[in-house]
Amino acid sequence: MPAETNMTRHQKLLGWLDEMAALCRPDQIVWIDGSDEQRDQLRAEAFATGELIELNQRKMPGCVYHRTARNDVARTENLTYICTTKKDDAGPTNNWMSPEEGYRRAGEIFKGSMKGRTMYVIPFSLGPIGSVFSKIGVELTDSIYVVLNMLIMVRCGQAVLDKLGSDGEFTRCLHGKAERDLNRRLILHFPEDNTIWSVGSGYGGNVLLSKKCMALRIASHQAHQEGWLAEHMLILGVEHPSGLIEYLAAAFPSACGKTNLAMLVPPEGMTRKGYRIWTVGDDIAWMRIDTDGALWGVNPETGFFGVAPGTNLKTNPNAIATVRRNTIFTNVLLREGKTVWWEGADGEPPARGSDWQGEPWHPDMVDENGKPIPGAHPNARFTAPISQCPSHSFRIEHHHGIPISAVIFGGRRARLAPLVYQAYSWQHGVFVGATMASERTAAQYGKLGEVRRDPMAMLPFCGYNMADYFRHWLQMGQRMTRPPKIFHVNWFRADEDGEFLWPGYGENLRALEWILDRCRGEADAVATPIGYVPTPESLDLTGLELPPEVVEELLRVDNHEWLKEADSIAEFFKKFDDRLPHALVDELDSLRRRLTGQ
Ligand code: OXD
Ligand code: MN
């Protein structure tokens, strides 16, 4: 099947396409031009085959519904590999395979896997087309669902090929559903070849190759080589009552509320004060040092691929407004009358519907242990354009990005970390990010205090040796004359009974206000062994009615607990042997000294 087109004269692209088509043997090849007409045609085709279900167009214009296979509902980290010549270049936190083995093993699965199917060619740009931040990729896929998601998530089509010209660089992304068999599924990254191969899955995080695979794993490798940062961070703008808008980039592990924070709605009192939030991105930030010596960033994506369960008018009203139209819903509950529902949605559960597996469902159903059977999969998703978010920033398309005033790291720590604190320096901030962790709470999992370290929320996404990644962060700090200040937040501190002490959601803006005031040198703090912690008076808590002892507990630093934390960090650092930058060991020593008063 020749890859004929008048859309591009890029010989390397055409040659690669021929080669991949010879491997996968599709019946036909279709180029995605980015037009509405083509999108509508593909949608109609997917309705006809049952790959998609059209939702109620009167109530949910432009919305469609999709179910993935039962065994294919989340990212499969155990089948995700970094394929580098040297194992050490993937590092101790990644699965590794040699490039030869990767191409051979995945090649066997891809072989002939698109017979009877169509191969779609999706040219896409991460970042505004032509911006200094931006990178081009081309994804080949045999899934219309992938094409329709990509049309929302990234800039696609002819304009990208025009920018690529006849010899521009691009990331080669090959995806095939194959049999969607867990034993024949591989998500492979070849950073040395700027190539991604994903086979045997139809789940978003495994198959929208622009996202985790390219914008994080491959891009973090490129960023290391080229001197910038590709991070698992949201970006939001906080408009100060004076009209000044300042931007924050924040990293939290998956499913810790990045989307909610990115679209935060200020509580009433702060709206009255004049605060306003501008959403730039909810998942990925690409950041560079500009000529002013400061860090500037873009969100390389144009859509949200958010978790639906738990999203409602209280937790995230802007998300609810965003998904009212032109949205793809995956693995949520399908109601009679072709609308959707999920656990934690507004209103009463519907009396009946069909669940994420297509089975009849009603709210009283329980499993053999008497636990309620959910109608939506806990990782059910919505894919929706950022432009539909009521708080979307007017600077999303700016080619030079936006200046980042503060970088925030966060985890779920029921016991240890105060609501917010500031690192003493860039180097100390890198230590805070590198040792970030989430702790299971009694309410959730039963076993208190179990900790998973997730450095900078990049554990599953760093495409090279994480010790080198830490060094890169340290060096970035040395190259900036006006680096952002670094902070840590914890919305999840709990009392002895496991009850959260902090109300969270919109109220989190109170901590962001303190952070930005600190950046301007306008808020008080006390120097503690772990960093600068707010004085109770420096946080505006008007209207919250938190008892003083709760505020004290939220800001408390327990030296004894932190010394235990220091031991756990030392254990974690052993993973990296002598590749770990010495500056981080120095930071651990300094922390211990401050804790013991030496
Ligand atoms: C994630 C996601 O898993 O964004 O981090 O989907
Ligand atoms: Mn994510």
Side-chain angles (χ1 to χ4, degrees):
M1 164 63 45
E4 269 164 28
T5 181
N6 53 15
M7 285 177 68
T8 181
R9 298 227 185 98
H10 194 299
Q11 290 310 317
K12 273 201 190 140
L13 167 52
L14 294 170
W16 168 67
L17 177 54
D18 275 342
E19 210 185 307
M20 296 303 103
L23 173 67
C24 303
R25 302 237 154 257
D27 283 10
Q28 55 167 344
I29 294 174
V30 170
W31 287 74
I32 299 303
D33 60 17
S35 67
D36 291 350
E37 296 74 34
Q38 188 183 40
R39 185 202 52 211
D40 293 346
Q41 220 174 36
L42 289 172
R43 242 190 239 183
E45 223 176 292
F47 295 151
T49 60
E51 185 176 348
L52 290 180
I53 295 173
E54 185 167 36
L55 289 169
N56 184 323
Q57 294 302 294
R58 192 174 50 78
K59 293 188 174 156
M60 306 174 70
C63 292
V64 300
Y65 179 85
H66 175 77
R67 290 188 182 102
T68 62
R70 284 172 202 220
N71 71 357
D72 196 18
V73 291
R75 285 185 292 103
T76 37
E77 288 179 19
N78 57 324
L79 302 173
T80 301
Y81 288 81
I82 303 297
C83 304
T84 43
T85 313
K86 290 196 220 128
K87 185 169 185 202
D88 242 12
D89 288 344
T93 57
N94 280 313
N95 298 316
W96 174 83
M97 211 185 271
S98 73
E100 299 74 55
E101 188 185 352
Y103 287 127
R104 183 181 52 73
R105 280 180 53 187
E108 277 162 16
I109 309 171
F110 272 121
K111 201 166 175 183
S113 67
M114 295 189 191
K115 274 188 198 143
R117 297 182 185 170
T118 300
M119 177 188 263
Y120 300 95
V121 184
I122 317 169
F124 64 90
S125 173
L126 280 166
I129 295 172
S131 150
V132 58
F133 284 90
S134 302
K135 299 276 182 198
I136 287 176
V138 179
E139 177 161 350
L140 312 180
T141 179
D142 57 356
S143 158
I144 292 184
Y145 171 74
V146 168
V147 174
L148 295 175
N149 273 273
M150 292 287 282
L151 285 168
I152 295 174
M153 292 306 296
V154 281
R155 300 153 176 94
C156 295
Q158 184 65 55
V160 177
L161 289 174
D162 294 346
K163 181 64 208 166
L164 190 63
S166 56
D167 61 357
E169 264 301 305
F170 66 98
T171 303
R172 293 181 285 248
C173 308
L174 174 65
H175 164 248
K177 290 187 285 194
E179 306 96 324
R180 279 178 295 174
D181 171 353
L182 254 181
N183 297 312
R184 286 167 63 75
R185 179 176 302 162
L186 287 169
I187 323 296
L188 306 181
H189 306 75
F190 304 89
E192 292 156 6
D193 301 344
N194 200 5
T195 295
I196 300 161
W197 278 18
S198 163
V199 68
S201 173
Y203 169 74
N206 290 335
V207 302
L208 309 178
L209 299 185
S210 59
K211 196 172 186 53
K212 304 301 186 182
C213 299
M214 179 167 158
L216 289 176
R217 299 196 190 95
I218 291 290
S220 63
H221 164 86
Q222 292 172 326
H224 179 220
Q225 293 194 321
E226 297 167 8
W228 52 282
L229 293 169
E231 299 301 325
H232 190 202
M233 290 181 175
L234 65 92
I235 303 180
L236 92 170
V238 179
E239 185 172 326
H240 187 263
S242 69
L244 174 72
I245 306 179
E246 291 163 303
Y247 295 87
L248 309 158
F252 305 124
S254 301
C256 277
K258 285 212 305 297
T259 304
N260 292 349
L261 187 66
M263 299 184 196
L264 177 154
V265 173
E268 202 188 308
M270 297 196 76
T271 306
R272 236 181 294 122
K273 240 166 130 179
Y275 276 102
R276 202 168 163 180
I277 293 296
W278 298 99
T279 307
V280 179
D282 77 327
D283 197 39
I284 296 171
W286 282 4
M287 298 179 288
R288 292 180 169 268
I289 303 171
D290 209 329
T291 45
D292 60 354
L295 194 63
W296 289 65
V298 293
N299 168 15
E301 302 184 295
T302 52
F304 304 118
F305 181 62
V307 177
T311 305
N312 58 50
L313 284 171
K314 172 165 185 289
T315 59
N316 195 337
N318 279 330
I320 296 297
T322 305
V323 304
R324 288 214 170 100
R325 48 204 165 93
N326 306 324
T327 298
I328 302 173
F329 292 94
T330 304
N331 291 344
V332 297
L333 180 98
L334 184 62
R335 299 174 68 143
E336 286 181 339
K338 297 272 172 22
T339 60
V340 294
W341 184 84
W342 49 79
E343 277 66 29
D346 294 299
E348 292 299 309
R352 67 190 71 80
S354 68
D355 73 5
W356 66 273
Q357 306 186 55
E359 302 292 339
W361 179 92
H362 60 83
D364 309 321
M365 286 167 71
V366 289
D367 65 15
E368 59 279 11
N369 302 315
K371 275 183 45 190
I373 295 179
H377 187 275
N379 192 33
R381 297 279 175 153
F382 55 79
T383 317
I386 294 181
S387 58
Q388 291 183 184
C389 179
S391 60
H392 84 270
S393 165
F394 58 93
R395 291 182 72 165
I396 285 175
E397 289 299 329
H398 282 200
H399 278 220
H400 55 273
I402 40 112
I404 305 291
S405 299
V407 165
I408 303 175
F409 296 116
R412 206 176 245 276
R413 303 298 306 248
R415 325 277 290 168
L416 187 77
L419 177 67
V420 53
Y421 64 97
Q422 181 187 355
Y424 284 122
S425 62
W426 180 268
Q427 177 173 304
H428 180 222
V430 174
F431 171 81
V432 169
T435 57
M436 224 172 97
S438 276
E439 185 181 288
R440 301 176 200 277
T441 66
Q444 284 177 306
Y445 301 101
K447 187 157 181 250
L448 273 176
E450 200 184 38
V451 161
R452 170 172 138 130
R453 302 244 164 241
D454 186 353
M456 278 108 167
M458 283 288 277
L459 187 70
F461 306 122
C462 182
Y464 62 107
N465 190 309
M466 202 146 223
D468 297 348
Y469 170 74
F470 296 152
R471 183 167 297 102
H472 179 49
W473 261 85
L474 291 163
Q475 285 166 352
M476 286 290 290
Q478 283 160 6
R479 286 177 43 215
M480 280 183 275
T481 51
R482 299 167 54 208
K485 304 269 190 293
I486 301 183
F487 297 81
H488 186 280
V489 298
N490 175 29
W491 316 133
F492 302 98
R493 199 150 188 179
D495 64 16
E496 290 302 315
D497 303 323
E499 295 290 325
F500 293 128
L501 294 170
W502 180 248
Y505 303 114
E507 309 296 349
N508 292 339
L509 181 54
R510 298 171 192 268
L512 303 186
E513 179 185 42
W514 183 82
I515 287 173
L516 290 170
D517 285 351
R518 283 296 294 172
C519 292
R520 280 183 255 107
E522 290 170 10
D524 284 338
V526 268
T528 75
I530 64 163
Y532 294 112
V533 174
T535 58
E537 304 72 37
S538 65
L539 285 171
D540 183 349
L541 302 175
T542 318
L544 267 190
E545 287 169 22
L546 287 179
E549 59 278 11
V550 169
V551 178
E552 197 179 305
E553 180 58 21
L554 278 165
L555 300 176
R556 190 168 64 86
V557 177
D558 181 327
N559 287 12
H560 180 68
E561 291 285 324
W562 274 95
L563 273 169
K564 284 200 273 181
E565 173 77 357
D567 291 343
S568 148
I569 292 171
E571 203 49 46
F572 173 64
F573 278 174
K574 281 189 192 155
K575 239 189 214 306
F576 303 101
D577 297 323
D578 13 336
R579 205 145 162 166
L580 187 76
H582 213 269
L584 295 185
V585 182
D586 289 346
E587 284 297 333
L588 179 58
D589 290 346
S590 306
L591 172 66
R592 278 185 164 136
R593 267 199 305 277
R594 293 192 298 264
L595 286 165
T596 52
Q598 285 169 7

Tab-separated table of all heavy atoms in Angstrom, residues 75 211-212 216 232 252-255 258 282-284 381 461, ligand 2:
chain	number	residue	atom	x	y	z
A	75	ARG	N	-2.900	2.994	32.348
A	75	ARG	CA	-1.528	2.853	31.839
A	75	ARG	C	-0.912	1.587	32.424
A	75	ARG	O	-1.061	1.297	33.598
A	75	ARG	CB	-0.682	4.059	32.241
A	75	ARG	CG	-0.975	5.299	31.434
A	75	ARG	CD	-0.033	6.433	31.784
A	75	ARG	NE	-0.260	6.933	33.115
A	75	ARG	CZ	0.485	6.668	34.174
A	75	ARG	NH1	1.561	5.900	34.068
A	75	ARG	NH2	0.194	7.166	35.345
A	211	LYS	N	1.133	12.277	24.482
A	211	LYS	CA	0.988	12.681	25.875
A	211	LYS	C	2.139	12.172	26.731
A	211	LYS	O	3.224	12.767	26.755
A	211	LYS	CB	-0.384	12.208	26.395
A	211	LYS	CG	-0.798	12.880	27.678
A	211	LYS	CD	-2.213	12.529	28.041
A	211	LYS	CE	-2.721	13.286	29.255
A	211	LYS	NZ	-2.611	14.732	29.234
A	212	LYS	N	1.920	11.082	27.452
A	212	LYS	CA	2.956	10.608	28.382
A	212	LYS	C	4.211	10.171	27.618
A	212	LYS	O	5.334	10.414	28.060
A	212	LYS	CB	2.425	9.446	29.210
A	212	LYS	CG	1.164	9.764	29.977
A	212	LYS	CD	1.368	10.913	30.915
A	212	LYS	CE	0.159	11.141	31.801
A	212	LYS	NZ	0.345	12.289	32.687
A	216	LEU	N	6.347	13.685	27.724
A	216	LEU	CA	7.103	13.486	28.964
A	216	LEU	C	8.336	12.592	28.753
A	216	LEU	O	9.457	13.038	28.928
A	216	LEU	CB	6.203	12.938	30.073
A	216	LEU	CG	5.189	13.973	30.603
A	216	LEU	CD1	4.255	13.357	31.629
A	216	LEU	CD2	5.897	15.195	31.214
A	232	HIS	N	5.775	16.919	34.486
A	232	HIS	CA	4.410	16.460	34.760
A	232	HIS	C	3.754	17.494	35.675
A	232	HIS	O	3.571	17.255	36.865
A	232	HIS	CB	4.492	15.081	35.431
A	232	HIS	CG	3.191	14.366	35.554
A	232	HIS	ND1	2.982	13.371	36.482
A	232	HIS	CD2	2.027	14.486	34.860
A	232	HIS	CE1	1.747	12.913	36.357
A	232	HIS	NE2	1.154	13.563	35.395
A	252	PHE	N	2.092	17.173	40.959
A	252	PHE	CA	1.536	16.212	41.923
A	252	PHE	C	1.479	14.858	41.240
A	252	PHE	O	1.253	14.802	40.035
A	252	PHE	CB	0.100	16.580	42.335
A	252	PHE	CG	-0.064	17.958	42.878
A	252	PHE	CD1	-0.974	18.831	42.307
A	252	PHE	CD2	0.671	18.386	43.968
A	252	PHE	CE1	-1.136	20.117	42.810
A	252	PHE	CE2	0.504	19.659	44.474
A	252	PHE	CZ	-0.391	20.527	43.897
A	253	PRO	N	1.628	13.785	42.012
A	253	PRO	CA	1.485	12.456	41.409
A	253	PRO	C	0.129	12.308	40.735
A	253	PRO	O	-0.813	13.054	41.041
A	253	PRO	CB	1.592	11.505	42.607
A	253	PRO	CG	2.319	12.276	43.653
A	253	PRO	CD	1.948	13.705	43.450
A	254	SER	N	0.007	11.327	39.826
A	254	SER	CA	-1.260	11.085	39.124
A	254	SER	C	-2.396	10.944	40.140
A	254	SER	O	-2.206	10.365	41.210
A	254	SER	CB	-1.165	9.795	38.304
A	254	SER	OG	-0.122	9.899	37.380
A	255	ALA	N	-3.563	11.472	39.766
A	255	ALA	CA	-4.770	11.356	40.599
A	255	ALA	C	-4.633	12.015	41.970
A	255	ALA	O	-5.159	11.532	42.959
A	255	ALA	CB	-5.193	9.890	40.747
A	258	LYS	N	-4.431	17.478	40.170
A	258	LYS	CA	-3.843	18.514	39.298
A	258	LYS	C	-4.925	19.210	38.477
A	258	LYS	O	-4.930	20.431	38.356
A	258	LYS	CB	-2.802	17.918	38.332
A	258	LYS	CG	-1.485	17.577	38.989
A	258	LYS	CD	-0.268	17.730	38.074
A	258	LYS	CE	-0.344	16.956	36.793
A	258	LYS	NZ	-0.411	15.506	37.030
A	282	ASP	N	-3.255	21.263	32.606
A	282	ASP	CA	-3.531	20.460	33.804
A	282	ASP	C	-2.596	19.272	33.974
A	282	ASP	O	-2.727	18.537	34.944
A	282	ASP	CB	-4.979	19.961	33.792
A	282	ASP	CG	-5.168	18.777	32.842
A	282	ASP	OD1	-4.472	18.732	31.810
A	282	ASP	OD2	-6.003	17.909	33.144
A	283	ASP	N	-1.651	19.066	33.028
A	283	ASP	CA	-0.888	17.814	33.120
A	283	ASP	C	0.591	17.944	32.752
A	283	ASP	O	1.422	17.274	33.347
A	283	ASP	CB	-1.552	16.756	32.216
A	283	ASP	CG	-1.108	15.343	32.534
A	283	ASP	OD1	-0.955	15.023	33.725
A	283	ASP	OD2	-0.909	14.560	31.592
A	284	ILE	N	0.892	18.787	31.769
A	284	ILE	CA	2.268	18.818	31.265
A	284	ILE	C	2.728	20.261	31.063
A	284	ILE	O	1.980	21.095	30.534
A	284	ILE	CB	2.370	18.031	29.937
A	284	ILE	CG1	2.042	16.551	30.208
A	284	ILE	CG2	3.771	18.162	29.323
A	284	ILE	CD1	1.888	15.689	28.999
A	381	ARG	N	-12.662	8.431	31.883
A	381	ARG	CA	-12.054	9.708	31.477
A	381	ARG	C	-12.988	10.569	30.633
A	381	ARG	O	-13.905	10.072	29.991
A	381	ARG	CB	-10.802	9.409	30.628
A	381	ARG	CG	-9.701	8.657	31.376
A	381	ARG	CD	-8.886	9.606	32.205
A	381	ARG	NE	-7.898	8.923	33.024
A	381	ARG	CZ	-6.762	9.496	33.422
A	381	ARG	NH1	-6.469	10.735	33.082
A	381	ARG	NH2	-5.925	8.837	34.192
A	461	PHE	N	7.416	8.665	34.276
A	461	PHE	CA	7.480	9.463	33.048
A	461	PHE	C	8.861	9.976	32.668
A	461	PHE	O	9.018	10.610	31.628
A	461	PHE	CB	6.517	10.654	33.161
A	461	PHE	CG	5.110	10.262	33.507
A	461	PHE	CD1	4.477	10.750	34.643
A	461	PHE	CD2	4.416	9.372	32.702
A	461	PHE	CE1	3.181	10.368	34.971
A	461	PHE	CE2	3.114	8.982	33.021
A	461	PHE	CZ	2.495	9.482	34.155
B	2	MN	MN	-0.740	12.985	34.436
